[in-house]
Amino acid sequence: MSGTNGIKAEKAGGLTGINRAILVAAFALLAAAIGYSVWRDTTPAADPAAEDVAAPRDQLAAIEARTAREPNSADAWTALGAARFDLGDFAGAIAAYEKATRLSPDAAGLWSALGEARVMASERDPMPAAAARAFDKAIALDASDPRARYFLAVKKDIGGDHKGAIDDWFALLADTPEGAPWEADLHRTIEQVGAIHRIDVAARLASTRPRAPTADEMPVAARAIPGPSRAEMEAASQLPKGQQDAMIAGMVDGLEAKLKANPADVDRWIMLMRSRMTLGETAKAAQALKDAMAANPGATARLKAQGQLLGVPGA
């Protein structure tokens, strides 16, 4: 895999090919605080010179302005950490997440997000002590935090306990909601580590299934914005990439406009979060979650469960 993940692996002296693979797979673990999409590193941009850079940086400026206005808002610092992480500014993400954890020290997802940023910012150590401490803190607050569990298994594998790491990943797989964004990558990691270290995992993989989603987790997180008709899809496929992007953005913005008119539609809020995460707009997804909970306090548990499944920052 190319991009920043590959660069980091080259810098991390002593990393094996499988350690590179498991660190890369970690970024599909979209649970709790950061929604980082692996496809952004594997799908080449139509124009690497820059067509998609301005919007995230403009968005970053708006989020930074929010932290200046609301310096005691953990949500604002969380959104800034997510935005900086998405831009590859891992040192900046660390600084933002450290402020968020000081303001909201009991949020496990923030600690695991901080740990992930510390891993990515490290030039040579694939599992810095500070990152491990953040993951330990996350687990102490929430033993089910998927990202912390994943990375602590990575730590075992790096330390030579390959079987222990595989066992931990199997346990995480068994606790993973079916269809979760990280399910396939976790499955693949187990296969790869097993193959490299000659540990037979085939039978266990065949018998281990992700759990059924809870009532709060299904079915809306699996859906996105209401889809176009077949004719609209066929027409869209003929458009240049820029126009396709504009069409998608228009659909998402239209969904958001409908929510302003009817903020009580919880399913549409979840669709909006999903759409923003799919577009890599993690800060906007976080804002959608915040707005949805404010408009629907009785649905807070469901919204947070859906947000965690989608990897919305602050869920």
Side-chain angles (χ1 to χ4, degrees):
M1 195 172 287
S2 62
T4 58
N5 297 338
I7 293 170
K8 177 174 177 56
E10 292 302 323
K11 290 181 178 179
L15 278 182
T16 64
I18 191 58
N19 284 341
R20 292 186 180 92
I22 59 181
L23 286 172
V24 166
F27 307 130
L29 286 166
L30 303 178
I34 289 188
Y36 187 93
S37 301
V38 169
W39 60 263
R40 276 184 284 176
D41 278 338
T42 58
T43 305
D47 177 8
E51 81 176 334
D52 291 326
V53 172
R57 293 200 177 278
D58 289 345
Q59 183 181 347
L60 179 64
I63 299 169
E64 288 175 335
R66 181 186 169 196
T67 61
R69 293 193 310 270
E70 306 173 31
N72 295 319
S73 168
D75 287 343
W77 289 107
T78 298
L80 181 58
R84 285 178 171 169
F85 189 99
D86 286 347
L87 288 169
D89 177 10
F90 304 119
I94 290 170
Y97 280 124
E98 285 176 343
K99 290 183 179 178
T101 55
R102 286 196 291 271
L103 292 164
S104 185
D106 295 330
L110 289 181
W111 286 102
S112 65
L114 174 58
E116 182 180 33
R118 285 173 172 171
V119 167
M120 286 302 294
S122 175
E123 290 294 321
R124 299 194 61 81
D125 187 349
M127 182 57 66
R133 287 195 299 272
F135 295 131
D136 287 338
K137 177 70 172 178
I139 289 294
L141 290 165
D142 180 3
S144 67
D145 185 277
R147 178 177 21 233
R149 291 173 66 184
Y150 183 91
F151 272 105
L152 288 174
V154 169
K155 181 183 176 184
K156 281 188 179 180
D157 187 71
I158 291 171
D161 184 4
H162 311 304
K163 183 179 182 303
I166 287 175
D167 287 343
D168 288 352
W169 285 321
F170 266 115
L172 176 56
L173 181 62
D175 290 341
T176 291
E178 186 176 5
W182 64 89
E183 178 189 341
D185 294 270
L186 181 57
H187 194 285
R188 189 178 305 114
T189 294
I190 293 170
E191 286 183 323
Q192 292 174 336
V193 174
I196 290 294
H197 299 296
R198 299 182 181 180
I199 299 172
D200 186 5
V201 298
R204 288 180 72 183
L205 278 174
S207 62
T208 303
R209 292 286 183 271
R211 65 169 173 81
T214 66
D216 279 341
E217 290 168 340
M218 61 186 300
V220 183
R223 304 202 299 265
I225 55 177
S229 68
R230 180 179 295 275
E232 288 172 328
M233 291 174 63
E234 290 176 353
S237 68
Q238 306 301 316
L239 295 173
K241 180 181 181 299
Q243 292 182 36
Q244 290 179 19
D245 291 347
M247 178 181 178
I248 293 168
M251 292 170 67
V252 178
D253 289 344
L255 175 59
E256 190 170 45
K258 290 177 181 177
L259 283 166
K260 290 180 180 178
N262 180 18
D265 192 333
V266 174
D267 281 1
R268 283 188 181 274
W269 279 114
I270 297 169
M271 291 178 190
L272 179 61
M273 289 191 289
R274 166 87 179 184
S275 301
R276 292 301 188 194
M277 293 300 296
T278 300
L279 293 173
E281 297 174 343
T282 55
K284 288 185 178 180
Q287 185 61 47
L289 173 59
K290 182 180 178 182
D291 292 344
M293 291 190 296
N296 303 277
T300 294
R302 181 175 180 229
L303 286 162
K304 287 183 73 69
Q306 294 279 333
Q308 288 169 0
L309 185 61
L310 294 168
V312 177

